[in-house]
Amino acid sequence: MFKRLRRVRLNSIVRNLVEENNVRTQDLIYPLFIVHGKNIKNSIASMPDVYQLSIDNALKECAELELLGINAVMLFGIPSLKDSVGSEALSEQGIIAQALRAIKAQFPNLLLCVDLCFCEYTDHGHCGILNPKLQSVDNDLTLEILNKQALILAKAGADLIAPSGMLDGMILSLRQALDNAGFSHIPLMSYSTKFASGYYGPFRDVAQSTPSFGDRKSYQQNPANRREAILESLEDEAQGADILMVKPALAYLDIVRDIREKSLLPLAVYNVSGEYAMLKLAQKAGLIDYERVLMETILSFKRAGADIIITYHAKEIAKLLKV
């Protein structure tokens, strides 16, 4: 006797009843790239339908997101001035601090997540203060300014802080700094397993954060290492992270599943720029049923164990879910 597994597939209502995973609009976080100025909406050749926005246009974008039912954004800043220590990120008049205040005033129910890093703000494009002997980021000196950046953004209205530099001890350091300053209620969503990946190329176009020398392999995770990838996330959990993250998503679904099986914390994935651009180019070339492949891809993140999906496709997904 064999099992007739097709019995629960023949009827669409039964199929829906036994469906194990689904994508919801409330699972999505939409990235926004904010620049100084007014009435700015700069298109990015490598990322169709993604823009650098001045704050006034970012507010228009937030209004559209609310109508679509998207409740969370991730803010990335593009400064007017870059220097060796990312000074604009340490100013209460920095671009993201300004954006937080403006968005919070008009959209108090929108969850404002902030990417916490220095790569967009430094003239060398690395994620903190450089140690000239190592020709890499000085871990402990960078923790000090990372704390300062976090406190500025918390005071400006950030609802969730997402440190992305893959620095040792960053979660413990940030948690202590936030708690001591009266921000114990703000959760940390750590880029806990962030790979030194080739999938980030288009992001560096929009965020203007390409390193001026070398690469980030001395602090981001080696794509070849599975056990180390799990350890990175478990260490951040032990330090007090509230949400873990794997970045990129599509090529690392095995790691997403590994971490899901080791941790009970909420788990996010970042559907990164290279993944986005590939689907967009395949759509433009007429190679795929774009909407079907998009939803299949996003569903794969949920099936692997992700609770939260940060994606440039968020608006498209929200519209498809309303159909």
Side-chain angles (χ1 to χ4, degrees):
M1 184 69 179
F2 57 87
K3 293 182 179 180
R4 293 190 178 272
L5 296 175
R6 290 183 59 205
R7 287 189 186 119
V8 296
R9 301 180 199 146
L10 294 174
N11 182 289
S12 62
I13 297 175
V14 177
R15 283 199 303 273
N16 290 335
L17 284 171
V18 301
E19 187 172 82
E20 297 176 25
N21 297 281
N22 56 74
V23 177
R24 308 171 303 163
T25 305
Q26 54 263 45
D27 300 329
L28 307 174
I29 298 177
Y30 186 59
L32 290 175
F33 297 91
I34 314 297
V35 297
H36 289 281
K38 291 185 178 180
N39 197 31
I40 295 172
K41 188 174 183 180
N42 297 328
S43 60
I44 306 300
S46 58
M47 295 184 71
D49 304 319
V50 173
Y51 303 92
Q52 297 172 340
L53 301 170
S54 52
I55 292 174
D56 54 330
N57 279 328
L59 292 172
K60 295 175 184 177
E61 191 81 353
C62 290
E64 181 183 355
L65 294 172
E66 277 204 339
L67 289 175
L68 289 170
I70 296 170
N71 301 317
V73 294
M74 176 80 80
L75 301 181
F76 295 86
I78 302 164
S80 56
L81 174 68
K82 300 188 180 197
D83 59 25
S84 62
V85 296
S87 295
E88 184 172 319
L90 303 174
S91 167
E92 293 185 358
Q93 297 308 312
I95 185 59
I96 294 303
Q98 291 186 44
L100 285 167
R101 290 189 288 267
I103 296 171
K104 184 62 71 177
Q106 287 199 30
F107 302 95
N109 296 322
L110 191 65
L111 187 79
L112 302 185
C113 313
V114 291
D115 177 82
L116 194 74
C117 196
F118 284 91
C119 59
E120 298 110 302
Y121 299 92
T122 55
D123 52 14
H124 47 73
H126 284 279
C127 298
I129 296 173
L130 289 179
N131 182 322
K133 292 182 180 178
L134 298 176
Q135 284 294 289
S136 182
V137 170
D138 187 302
N139 194 94
D140 295 356
L141 288 178
T142 300
L143 291 182
E144 294 179 15
I145 60 171
L146 202 65
N147 291 343
K148 294 178 182 178
Q149 184 186 20
L151 292 177
I152 286 169
L153 298 181
K155 291 174 184 175
D159 298 304
L160 183 150
I161 292 175
S164 63
M166 285 292 290
L167 299 174
D168 292 340
M170 68 179 182
I171 297 301
L172 179 60
S173 179
L174 286 166
R175 187 72 274 160
Q176 290 174 343
L178 289 166
D179 290 357
N180 291 339
F183 296 108
S184 60
H185 61 285
I186 294 183
L188 292 172
M189 178 168 67
S190 176
Y191 288 65
S192 52
T193 299
K194 179 180 179 181
F195 291 90
S197 171
Y199 280 93
Y200 304 146
F203 173 90
R204 292 173 181 172
D205 294 338
V206 65
Q208 299 175 359
S209 61
T210 302
S212 62
F213 69 91
D215 52 42
R216 298 181 178 136
K217 293 180 180 178
S218 64
Y219 44 103
Q220 293 180 354
Q221 169 70 46
N222 186 341
N225 291 359
R226 180 180 182 182
R227 296 191 303 273
E228 185 184 11
I230 301 168
L231 182 62
E232 285 280 6
S233 278
L234 295 183
E235 174 60 24
D236 279 8
E237 177 175 2
Q239 291 182 27
D242 300 286
I243 303 170
L244 304 176
M245 188 198 301
V246 176
K247 181 184 180 183
L250 192 57
Y252 297 94
L253 294 182
D254 58 323
I255 305 301
V256 177
R257 172 49 54 185
D258 285 337
I259 294 170
R260 167 49 62 235
E261 291 178 350
K262 298 285 187 181
S263 174
L264 296 178
L265 287 183
L267 181 58
V269 294
Y270 200 136
N271 178 211
V272 299
S273 60
E275 299 165 19
Y276 174 84
M278 288 191 300
L279 279 191
K280 283 294 188 180
L281 287 171
Q283 176 193 29
K284 184 177 180 180
L287 299 176
I288 58 173
D289 180 339
Y290 174 77
E291 292 181 354
R292 181 178 179 183
V293 172
L294 168 58
M295 295 307 292
E296 187 175 337
T297 300
I298 299 300
L299 183 61
S300 74
F301 304 151
K302 294 298 294 289
R303 191 180 63 247
D307 303 295
I308 300 164
I309 302 167
I310 305 165
T311 178
Y312 307 100
H313 294 289
K315 292 195 294 184
E316 297 172 285
I317 296 165
K319 291 172 185 177
L320 290 172
L321 291 174
K322 288 180 181 290
V323 175

